[in-house]
Amino acid sequence: MDTFKDLVCLSGNVEGVVFYNEENGYIVLDIDADGELLEAVGIMGDVREGERLTMYGKYVTNAKYGRQFSVDIFERSLPTDLNMLEKYLASGILGGVGTVLARKIVDAFGEKTADILENDPIQLSALKGVTPERALLIGKEYQGVSGIRKALTYFSKYGVPYVYVSAAWKKYGGDLIRAAEGNPYCLCGWGIDLPFADAERIAEIIGFPKNSEERVSAGILRELKEAVNDGHTCVKETLLCGNVTARLMISEELYYSAVEFLLSDGEIEVFENESEKYIFLSEYFRAEKFIAEKLGEMIRRSKDENTDFSEEINGVSWECGIEYDEVQKAAINGCMNNHVFIITGGPGTGKTTTLNAVIELCKKRGLKIKLAAPTGRAAKRIADLTEAPAQTIHRLLEADLSTGENVFRRNEDNPVSCDVLIIDEMSMVDTLLFASLLRAVKSSTRLILVGDSDQLPSVSAGNILRDLISCGKVPKTELTKIFRQAAKSLIVTNAHAIVKGEMPELNDRKNDFFFMYSDSEEHSMKLVCELCSARLPKSYGYDPIGDIQVLCLSRMGTVGTAKLNYELQKALNPPSHDKREIKYVNTLFREGDKIMQNKNDYDVEWRRGNEKSHGIYNGDIGTVIDADRTNMRLLIDFDGRRAVYDGDMLKNIEHAFAMTVHKSQGSEYPAVIIPLPNGMERLSYRNILYTAVTRAKATLIVIGTENKIRAMLSNDRRDERMSCLKAMVVNNFEQS
């Protein structure tokens, strides 16, 4: 942010709102700056016609819109001119106050209007048609609007973005400014999450002491939150102490004093393992502790159960015409004899075949079975493979996001009703979700966890599947044999080579795994478009949009999803006079576009024939059926479920011609193309390549260089996540 001496100061009345993005507060305004009409742009929140602004900023020239005034800092005030005040009140800022009532209020109270609205709104009841109840309601709304306007003005001078002020207002209301002045670091708390550096800047301006307990505590919490964002559930205390004291330039004495304060306040917890202390945010400590205790309880229930299911397995084998090997039989027996059991293995090792046998045995015994997976696509895939109904874990737990947080109706007091619960794609399940799942599982239920521990871990913090496998206390079977049919696939054999760190076979042009050399990202991008639009459809008959999926390591760069989606839209779904389209912010959506939901939304209403329900989930893929420019509305088909998207709903979708490898987890596609970037070493590691390769069913094309593949194979980052779950599970058994 520029300093005041570098900024131009302008004052003026808001004549009109040209554009407003409710999500981030960005707004474009027509301003009458004392006779000069200009366009002002910036993050100023919900400014209305009639308001008066004092703005500090600079003139800029936009290539499309011409000369504009870019606002860095601003102050808001109600207009003193009565005509502008009437315009402001009629703008819709107050519920139930329209043009007619706004005129009545201003005509009746004149220059006292603002004072009466804020301090004595009952006087409005003197106006015809305004009851005392309505008058008080209008006053209450005005006080809220007035308060957040003051807060936005106050925090604008510190350069705090609108989105954080809005979140802080929801938490503190009218006490926000007082709370921030008493402790600017309160803005870094959960639900607001202002960057620590911004809180530091405010603290320095108001003279808040650098050795304060509030500052050090916030610094500790900042480190722990950053660790969670990186996938860790905890941090070694020695590492945490070193990082905090260095970044805040404080003594260890101040650090330990703040740790004691946070412990007593219940915000953090300490766990000691092998003479090393680990610091947790309390939520993650409670989750790991609960997981360890609940699993211990369930596993101990299995000790007296040791039935031999060999005859029943042979019966299923004969009925299905499938011969199970000894390891598969052991896995089937394990599932039937234990209240917690893990089946793990790579592609082609018979996980689904084994699971289908378990499902058949459970059905024969009259057991009620439920299947779930972390995402909608993963649930659909396991349902297709097992021919049994499946749902997302969130749907199974009956998630209620009406409060803005993950709240589940299924819990200890209202558990999931089933005898056997099967969770597929366990590598994608994070710590908090798994803890919520276990809270809703009765100890008598048989819980079967299925997954490939060599896949990428969950996007959120934790490495549940790997921790449970490596702790040695959870019954499990690892399937390692590649069955004959699968062994014919170079996709399968190369995937197993990759997970071992071995160079895959790249020169077999007669199989299903193809390598195309390219040392230029521009060339790789053009090659991807050519393969999708012409070569693969011509050679294999693939539908360019429905059958082919491009997977990228990142959203950024020439071969990232942002650039490739732009290019692939032009190549696969170009503009046409018979295709309607709309533009939302900077994204153009067109009829025929392949799109993806990027956030769980349980309120989206969809229809499939006569069926009607709610919920579209993170990762769901759809096609734009219609684009209504007049109403800024899309009709999207998600595998037969048709939903209307408009307004803020549009921010939850993005193009999906190309997607990141992380977004592809739990899915398979007939054909996959993987363009590898020349750089991005931080994202170029072994199990991201393994995960990408294992998404392909029939055809896989890797574009890049052999040196890039070798570099990814040598970078094995899979064990980097820090947690104490493994130790907690072991301790639970040792103490029982």
Side-chain angles (χ1 to χ4, degrees):
M1 186 180 68
D2 296 313
T3 59
F4 271 105
K5 65 183 178 63
D6 299 320
L7 301 178
V8 176
C9 178
L10 290 178
S11 294
N13 296 322
V14 179
E15 292 291 329
V17 179
V18 180
F19 171 80
Y20 176 53
N21 184 335
E22 188 176 347
E23 181 181 2
N24 60 17
Y26 180 81
I27 197 165
V28 180
L29 302 169
D30 283 334
I31 299 285
D32 180 356
D34 298 326
E36 178 191 3
L37 191 64
L38 56 87
E39 195 168 71
V41 300
I43 297 177
M44 293 177 274
D46 190 11
V47 176
R48 298 295 178 116
E49 291 182 48
E51 285 194 71
R52 184 166 181 81
L53 300 181
T54 300
M55 304 166 291
Y56 297 87
K58 53 186 175 293
Y59 287 100
V60 297
T61 302
N62 183 289
K64 186 173 181 180
Y65 300 107
R67 190 168 185 254
Q68 296 176 319
F69 188 72
S70 178
V71 179
D72 286 326
I73 299 171
F74 67 97
E75 295 177 8
R76 306 168 73 165
S77 59
L78 283 178
T80 53
D81 178 86
L82 293 183
N83 288 330
M84 294 303 293
L85 179 58
E86 180 184 323
K87 193 174 183 180
Y88 171 72
L89 295 178
S91 68
I93 193 71
L94 303 177
V97 178
T99 305
V100 175
L101 184 54
R103 184 178 298 116
K104 283 184 180 181
I105 293 172
V106 173
D107 285 347
F109 302 108
E111 294 178 358
K112 296 180 179 180
T113 297
D115 181 60
I116 285 171
L117 284 169
E118 183 150 7
N119 300 309
D120 194 14
I122 194 66
Q123 287 198 44
L124 298 179
S125 61
L127 301 175
K128 186 177 180 180
V130 180
T131 64
E133 292 77 16
R134 187 182 180 193
L136 292 174
L137 186 62
I138 292 171
K140 185 176 181 181
E141 280 203 39
Y142 179 83
Q143 289 157 13
V145 169
S146 175
I148 195 168
R149 187 173 64 244
K150 291 175 183 175
L152 285 164
T153 297
Y154 176 85
F155 287 106
S156 170
K157 63 187 178 186
Y158 299 119
V160 177
Y162 164 82
V163 64
Y164 298 111
V165 180
S166 178
W169 179 263
K170 289 177 184 176
K171 184 172 182 177
Y172 291 104
D175 292 328
L176 173 57
I177 294 174
R178 189 184 305 110
E181 288 178 338
N183 173 19
Y185 298 98
C186 73
L187 302 175
C188 300
W190 291 114
I192 304 174
D193 296 318
L194 179 74
F196 187 81
D198 289 339
E200 286 275 68
R201 188 175 63 252
I202 297 171
E204 185 173 358
I205 293 172
I206 67 176
F208 204 78
K210 288 187 175 295
N211 62 350
S212 69
E213 200 165 65
E214 291 87 351
R215 176 176 183 257
V216 182
S217 296
I220 293 170
L221 294 175
R222 183 265 306 267
E223 292 288 334
L224 292 173
K225 289 174 187 175
E226 287 183 358
V228 165
N229 290 337
D230 289 337
H232 309 290
T233 60
C234 58
V235 179
K236 285 184 179 179
E237 187 179 46
T238 51
L239 179 63
L240 182 65
C241 178
N243 287 346
V244 171
T245 54
R247 291 177 75 168
L248 300 188
M249 293 184 289
I250 59 167
S251 66
E252 287 191 7
E253 182 181 358
L254 283 173
Y255 163 81
Y256 284 112
S257 174
V259 165
E260 289 301 319
F261 170 76
L262 289 170
L263 282 169
S264 64
D265 208 36
E267 293 204 59
I268 66 172
E269 297 282 351
V270 179
F271 179 79
E272 189 166 346
N273 180 43
E274 295 181 350
S275 301
E276 183 78 59
K277 288 184 178 179
Y278 295 82
I279 309 294
F280 286 79
L281 290 169
S282 293
E283 184 179 22
Y284 286 89
F285 175 80
R286 289 193 299 267
E288 289 199 351
K289 186 171 181 288
F290 176 79
I291 291 169
E293 292 172 350
K294 183 63 175 281
L295 289 178
E297 178 189 350
M298 294 178 72
I299 292 168
R300 281 188 284 271
R301 289 179 69 101
S302 309
K303 285 186 176 180
D304 298 329
E305 300 184 32
N306 191 21
T307 304
D308 185 358
F309 287 84
S310 296
E311 286 191 18
E312 292 176 59
I313 293 171
N314 290 337
V316 172
S317 175
W318 182 82
E319 289 175 9
C320 299
I322 297 173
E323 186 176 343
Y324 306 109
D325 70 8
E326 293 305 312
V327 179
Q328 287 179 304
K329 289 179 181 178
I332 298 165
N333 258 310
C335 290
M336 300 302 294
N337 274 300
N338 290 278
H339 286 273
V340 183
F341 197 83
I342 296 173
I343 301 175
T344 185
T349 58
K351 292 196 301 294
T352 303
T353 302
T354 304
L355 192 57
N356 279 332
V358 172
I359 292 171
E360 283 302 312
L361 280 178
C362 290
K363 286 179 180 177
K364 288 179 181 297
R365 290 189 159 234
L367 300 175
K368 184 178 180 182
I369 310 164
K370 287 194 175 181
L371 278 77
T375 67
R377 283 181 295 152
K380 184 177 185 302
R381 178 172 171 268
I382 192 62
D384 291 342
L385 291 172
T386 61
E387 297 183 357
Q391 58 193 315
T392 65
I393 296 173
H394 283 78
R395 176 66 78 182
L396 174 78
L397 300 180
E398 299 179 17
D400 176 13
L401 297 189
S402 60
T403 61
E405 301 176 8
N406 269 350
V407 176
F408 300 102
R409 296 188 181 95
R410 295 289 181 177
N411 49 41
E412 296 98 328
D413 299 323
N414 183 29
V416 173
S417 176
C418 63
D419 302 305
V420 179
L421 177 59
I422 299 168
I423 305 296
D424 193 32
E425 295 292 349
M426 266 300 298
S427 63
M428 300 172 65
V429 178
D430 63 80
T431 297
L432 297 184
L433 182 58
F434 192 55
S436 294
L437 176 71
L438 288 181
R439 286 189 180 95
V441 173
K442 292 181 286 188
S443 297
S444 58
T445 299
R446 298 193 183 279
L447 179 63
I448 300 170
L449 309 176
V450 185
D452 181 352
S453 60
D454 291 312
Q455 298 276 1
L456 288 172
S458 55
V459 174
S460 299
N463 203 350
I464 294 292
L465 183 59
R466 180 165 291 277
D467 284 346
L468 296 185
I469 289 172
S470 62
C471 75
K473 298 297 181 181
V474 182
K476 66 182 185 298
T477 293
E478 181 177 5
L479 304 175
T480 57
K481 176 184 175 182
I482 304 175
F483 285 88
R484 185 168 56 190
Q485 178 108 10
K488 296 177 183 178
S489 166
L490 201 57
I491 293 173
V492 171
T493 55
N494 273 347
H496 284 270
I498 288 168
V499 85
K500 295 174 186 174
E502 300 170 0
M503 194 69 179
E505 171 59 57
L506 301 178
N507 299 315
D508 186 343
R509 312 299 296 179
K510 298 178 181 179
N511 211 296
D512 52 8
F513 185 115
F514 303 96
F515 173 71
M516 303 183 78
Y517 177 84
S518 173
D519 61 1
S520 160
E521 291 186 7
E522 284 288 337
H523 176 254
S524 296
M525 179 188 69
K526 291 175 183 176
L527 195 53
V528 167
C529 293
E530 183 184 335
L531 285 164
C532 290
S533 62
R535 292 170 66 170
L536 285 178
K538 181 179 179 181
S539 299
Y540 297 93
Y542 287 135
D543 178 344
I545 294 177
D547 294 335
I548 303 171
Q549 185 60 59
V550 179
L551 299 182
C552 309
L553 302 192
S554 170
R555 299 178 65 89
M556 310 306 293
T558 305
V559 289
T561 60
K563 178 66 173 173
L564 279 173
N565 272 317
Y566 176 76
E567 296 295 333
L568 286 167
Q569 185 191 40
K570 290 194 298 182
L572 303 181
N573 192 32
S576 168
H577 70 277
D578 60 352
K579 290 181 181 177
R580 303 208 295 174
E581 59 188 40
I582 66 171
K583 187 171 185 180
Y584 177 73
V585 190
N586 296 317
T587 303
L588 185 70
F589 293 108
R590 180 178 297 132
E591 287 181 32
D593 277 352
K594 182 179 182 179
I595 62 95
M596 175 172 57
Q597 180 82 6
N598 57 34
K599 179 182 179 183
N600 288 335
D601 191 335
Y602 300 89
D603 294 324
V604 177
E605 182 179 291
W606 55 261
R607 294 174 180 270
R608 179 164 46 202
N610 293 326
E611 183 185 2
K612 177 181 173 182
S613 189
H614 293 79
I616 301 294
Y617 305 107
N618 186 7
D620 282 357
I621 300 293
T623 304
V624 176
I625 302 301
D626 184 42
D628 180 354
R629 183 182 298 177
T630 303
N631 297 300
M632 283 295 289
R633 180 182 298 162
L634 295 177
L635 176 63
I636 303 173
D637 185 288
F638 294 92
D639 290 324
R641 297 169 298 157
R642 294 196 168 193
V644 174
Y645 276 62
D646 57 11
D648 274 355
M649 296 169 69
L650 295 171
K651 71 186 178 187
N652 294 333
I653 58 171
E654 59 190 60
H655 285 113
F657 302 105
M659 69 176 69
T660 62
V661 179
H662 279 90
K663 285 287 188 182
S664 74
Q665 282 183 270
S667 299
E668 283 186 334
Y669 313 93
V672 168
I673 302 171
I674 308 169
L676 299 178
N678 293 332
M680 293 193 180
E681 284 77 12
R682 191 178 66 83
L683 291 172
S684 301
Y685 48 93
R686 187 188 303 172
N687 62 337
I688 199 171
L689 178 61
Y690 172 74
T691 301
V693 166
T694 54
R695 300 307 91 202
K697 283 185 185 178
T699 304
L700 176 74
I701 299 175
V702 178
I703 302 172
T705 67
E706 293 186 22
N707 285 340
K708 180 66 177 183
I709 293 174
R710 287 193 184 92
M712 294 183 76
L713 295 174
S714 64
N715 183 10
D716 187 7
R717 290 181 45 196
R718 67 183 188 180
D719 293 321
E720 286 187 0
R721 289 197 169 185
M722 195 175 296
S723 93
C724 291
L725 178 59
K726 177 180 174 181
M728 288 182 182
V729 173
V730 172
N731 288 357
N732 185 270
F733 277 88
E734 290 177 350
Q735 294 168 7
S736 62

